[in-house]
Amino acid sequence: ELGVVIERKRAVEEMRKAEGKYRALVEESPNVLYLDKADEDSACVYISPQVETLLGYSPADFEKEPLLWHKIIDPRDYEIASRTIRETLEQGKADSEYRMIARDGRAVWVHDMSVLVNDAGGKTQLIQGFLVDITERKQAEAAERDQRILAEALRDTSETLGGSLDY
């Protein structure tokens, strides 16, 4: 009996250590990790605390309203986000980029990578994924695109003006 009690205590301690390592990994990552129900609604089951830094909503906000993400997807990108869920459910994984609207109203670009999580029997349980903030990259790409368009417009204008001065 004493051996069983000691073994049980050892197992509980190992489980606590593993959980601590997992929490440290999840909660110290700069990315937002999430677990959603594996269905079309994709209701939030868990979201890491980093969501508050990224979007201004706390994990408690998602706990109170598991479909909150539906409301904060930028309407211009809602179909992309919905397609991401469908792809995850149908193909086992998905990878996409779309905008979400932060609590303060700003658009935040995210790279969303998700996979299906199955139980030991192979039955689908959850969608697990993470969101990476790619707003700076998207802003830089947009600025570069705008500069290229402006340069082309100036070149075209110069050519037009130069041609009109010919006698």
Side-chain angles (χ1 to χ4, degrees), residues 10-31:
R10 185 177 298 134
V12 168
E13 184 59 32
E14 286 179 24
M15 198 163 55
R16 281 189 187 135
K17 285 181 185 177
E19 183 178 337
K21 288 178 184 178
Y22 176 76
R23 284 198 178 280
L25 176 68
V26 168
E27 294 178 1
E28 292 177 20
S29 167
N31 304 319

Side-chain angles (χ1 to χ4, degrees), residues 87-120:
E87 279 182 28
T88 305
L89 293 172
E90 293 168 6
Q91 300 171 18
K93 64 181 180 177
D95 191 338
S96 63
E97 297 177 352
Y98 53 86
R99 289 164 286 199
M100 300 180 85
I101 305 299
R103 187 183 290 270
D104 63 9
R106 68 194 155 79
V108 177
W109 277 96
V110 295
H111 185 141
D112 184 352
M113 291 168 271
S114 58
V115 296
L116 285 180
V117 177
N118 299 323
D119 65 14

Side-chain angles (χ1 to χ4, degrees), residues 55-69:
L55 298 170
Y57 294 96
S58 70
D61 293 327
F62 284 87
E63 190 176 309
K64 288 178 202 159
E65 192 173 353
L67 297 178
L68 176 61
W69 80 268

Side-chain angles (χ1 to χ4, degrees), residues 124-144:
T124 298
Q125 295 296 308
L126 298 166
I127 295 174
Q128 179 180 28
F130 64 95
L131 304 173
V132 178
D133 183 355
I134 59 168
T135 305
E136 285 185 21
R137 187 192 90 203
K138 288 292 194 174
Q139 290 171 339
E141 288 172 359
E144 184 179 308

